[in-house]
């Protein structure tokens, strides 16, 4: 399977949003929510003080255009008031009052600016990854893209094909519903592609505006947690079938695992006011099942040397620190401590969804602690529930 991965480019959201700002906004909007007295403790438990968004917090919480008249329409409202005997002056006053009532943003109002940002950030990441790999856009044979939070047709693949001026024969593979496994699953697919043709050059680009799931009107505890967790990031990396001087990791094997009957545990729902990320408290335990299955895969892969072999770094995105703790508790006692340090470090500035594994890999690369021959395991789980892991060697 050998595939060679160059260092990823990581573009963080340029708008720093502090946890204290989110807490203040939510407390002001939902002062009587059942969880309101505990909001400070809940926020502190995330371990996140600041996260980067592609758009400012003010954009997420702004009311929609049209006010309270949007739902019923200006003309029907005027006609109804006139029929009920209101004078024109009274009608004008009522219409002004209705127009001033804040209304939620529509899907278009919420998604359109985020989609523009996703495209721009994705382009920046793509150019950065090609530069890091020492390649030009004309060298790309295949483009894999993912952006689950801003659905669009055509998607990011077509945007980049045009903006980067890719060759007309480049294979475009958009994967908009991979979500949190976009990093690992795109690498597994890229590895399969270069295994079939070692001369292929595959460019992977993942751009996620997870802040679009910030829904001001929601007053559930799960919605509060979503507000506090997510960050926006665009990442990109080049995968080749032949060694390159710039490559940092050789990918040797991939593993996939899907839990049946778990599709409703975590999901995105599109409603009148935009995209909502719905969380189920059973989700982390289900993700833990995929971790256990991954341990079994690694054990079987190295059954001839079960005691001496261990990864030197784990680049894991299981969705949160709770499952990271489970991973630490269930990995073999003989494995060294600190394998998940870079994963934990990434979470301190937010959950990046599909971009997370590339961000964690970049942190491991920049730390400069890995030596040639060190073994790495990349793992991620996503709504579905489904997981993908890769095992490889540091170069």
């Amino acid at each position: 399977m050998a595939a060679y991965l160059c260092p990823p480019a990581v573009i963080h959201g340029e708008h720093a949003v502090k946890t204290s700002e989110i807490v203040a906004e939510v407390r002001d909007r939902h002062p009587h929510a059942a969880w309101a007295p505990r909001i400070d403790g809940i926020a502190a438990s995330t371990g996140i003080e600041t996260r980067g968004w592609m758009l400012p917090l003010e954009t997420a919480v702004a009311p929609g255009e049209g006010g309270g008249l949007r739902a019923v329409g200006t003309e029907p409202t005027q006609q109804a008031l006139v029929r009920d005997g209101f004078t024109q002056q009274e009608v004008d006053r009522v219409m002004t009052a209705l127009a001033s009532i804040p209304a939620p943003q529509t899907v278009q109002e919420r998604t359109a600016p985020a989609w523009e940002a996703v495209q721009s950030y994705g382009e920046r990441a793509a150019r950065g990854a090609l530069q890091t790999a020492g390649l030009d856009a004309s060298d790309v044979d295949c483009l894999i893209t993912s952006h689950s939070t801003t659905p669009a047709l055509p998607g990011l693949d077509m945007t980049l094909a045009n903006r980067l001026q890719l060759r007309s024969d480049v294979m475009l593979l958009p994967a908009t519903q991979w979500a949190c496994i976009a990093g690992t699953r795109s690498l597994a697919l890229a590895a399969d592609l270069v295994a079939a043709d070692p001369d292929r050059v595959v460019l992977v680009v993942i751009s996620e505006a997870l802040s679009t799931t910030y829904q001001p009107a929601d007053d559930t505890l799960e919605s509060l947690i979503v507000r506090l967790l997510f960050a926006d990031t665009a990442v990109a990396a080049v995968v080749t079938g032949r060694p390159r001087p710039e490559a940092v990791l050789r990918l040797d094997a991939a593993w996939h695992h899907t839990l049946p009957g778990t599709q409703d545990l975590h999901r995105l729902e599109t409603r009148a006011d935009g995209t909502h990320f719905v969380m189920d408290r059973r989700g982390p335990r289900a993700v833990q099942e995929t971790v256990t299955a991954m341990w079994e895969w690694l054990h079987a892969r190295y059954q001839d040397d079960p005691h001496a072999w261990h990864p030197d770094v784990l680049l894991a995105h299981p969705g949160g620190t709770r499952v990271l703790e489970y991973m630490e508790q269930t990995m073999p006692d003989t494995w060294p401590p600190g394998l998940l340090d870079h994963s934990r470090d990434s979470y301190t500035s937010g959950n990046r969804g599909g971009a997370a594994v590339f961000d964690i890999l970049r942190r491991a690369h920049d730390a400069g602690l890995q030596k040639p021959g060190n073994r790495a395991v990349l793992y991620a789980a996503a709504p579905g529930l489904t997981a993908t892991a890769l095992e490889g060697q540091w170069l």
Side-chain angles (χ1 to χ4, degrees), residues 27 55 89 99 172 184-185 197 236 264 296 303 329 349 363 392-393:
R27 178 181 282 123
L55 300 171
Q89 185 177 18
L172 302 180
T184 52
R185 193 153 291 180
D197 181 357
D264 292 330
E296 294 173 355
Q303 58 185 339
Q329 294 165 2
S349 52
R363 292 169 189 267
Q393 179 175 300

Side-chain angles (χ1 to χ4, degrees), residues 184-209:
T184 52
R185 193 153 291 180
S186 62
L187 292 179
L189 175 56
D192 286 341
L193 290 168
V194 299
D197 181 357
D199 291 323
R200 272 192 180 127
V201 172
V202 180
L203 174 63
V204 175
V205 183
I206 304 162
S207 187
E208 290 288 18

Side-chain angles (χ1 to χ4, degrees), residues 48-318:
I48 304 168
E49 294 185 359
T50 304
R51 76 282 293 137
W53 284 2
M54 295 180 183
L55 300 171
L57 175 62
E58 291 76 14
T59 300
V61 302
E65 297 180 3
L69 283 172
R70 182 167 55 199
V72 293
T74 301
E75 187 172 344
T77 302
Q78 288 178 327
Q79 293 173 350
L81 291 171
V82 170
R83 284 197 304 268
D84 286 345
F86 285 79
T87 67
Q88 187 58 51
Q89 185 177 18
E90 292 171 330
V91 169
D92 291 341
R93 285 202 300 268
V94 171
M95 297 297 292
T96 299
L98 289 173
S100 66
I101 298 174
Q105 296 179 36
T106 63
V107 175
Q108 180 181 11
E109 289 171 338
R110 191 65 192 278
T111 304
W115 170 229
E116 290 299 321
V118 161
Q119 295 175 90
S120 176
Y121 274 70
E123 179 185 0
R124 289 166 57 191
R127 294 188 184 280
L130 288 171
Q131 183 178 16
T132 297
L135 296 170
D136 297 322
S138 60
D139 296 314
V140 176
D141 300 302
C142 177
L143 172 66
I144 302 173
T145 59
S146 186
H147 56 100
S148 301
T149 46
T150 46
L153 183 67
L156 184 60
D157 59 323
M158 291 302 300
T159 294
L160 296 179
N162 285 282
R163 293 190 181 184
L164 299 177
Q165 296 184 337
L166 300 181
R167 303 192 320 265
S168 59
D169 63 344
V170 167
M171 182 190 303
L172 302 180
L173 295 174
T176 58
Q177 293 174 311
W178 272 345
C180 292
I181 55 167
T184 52
R185 193 153 291 180
S186 62
L187 292 179
L189 175 56
D192 286 341
L193 290 168
V194 299
D197 181 357
D199 291 323
R200 272 192 180 127
V201 172
V202 180
L203 174 63
V204 175
V205 183
I206 304 162
S207 187
E208 290 288 18
L210 293 166
S211 59
T212 57
T213 63
Y214 190 109
Q215 294 297 342
D218 285 359
D219 62 356
T220 65
L221 176 60
E222 290 74 20
S223 177
L224 169 65
I225 295 172
V226 167
R227 287 175 169 94
L228 294 167
L229 288 184
F230 287 143
D232 297 346
T233 315
V235 296
V238 169
V239 178
T240 60
R242 301 193 188 280
R244 294 188 58 80
E246 299 85 1
V248 294
L249 193 64
R250 188 189 70 219
L251 304 174
D252 294 329
W255 165 89
H256 306 282
H257 191 77
T258 299
L259 296 176
T262 58
Q263 65 269 24
D264 292 330
L265 294 188
H266 294 324
R267 63 191 185 276
L268 280 179
E269 290 185 355
T270 301
R271 304 174 188 170
D273 56 350
T275 302
H276 295 245
F277 187 78
V278 182
M279 300 174 63
D280 190 297
R281 296 183 184 183
R282 298 171 296 166
R285 186 172 297 277
V287 175
Q288 290 173 6
E289 292 185 35
T290 70
V291 172
T292 301
M294 181 184 64
W295 292 155
E296 294 173 355
W297 168 63
L298 289 171
H299 178 75
R301 180 165 168 75
Y302 288 96
Q303 58 185 339
D304 295 335
D305 197 11
H307 300 293
W309 183 87
H310 63 78
D312 297 287
V313 63
L314 267 169
L315 312 174
H317 173 56

Side-chain angles (χ1 to χ4, degrees), residues 16-26 49 57-58 214:
V17 179
K18 297 179 179 179
T19 295
S20 59
E21 296 174 313
I22 293 175
V23 168
E25 194 279 328
V26 174
E49 294 185 359
L57 175 62
E58 291 76 14
Y214 190 109

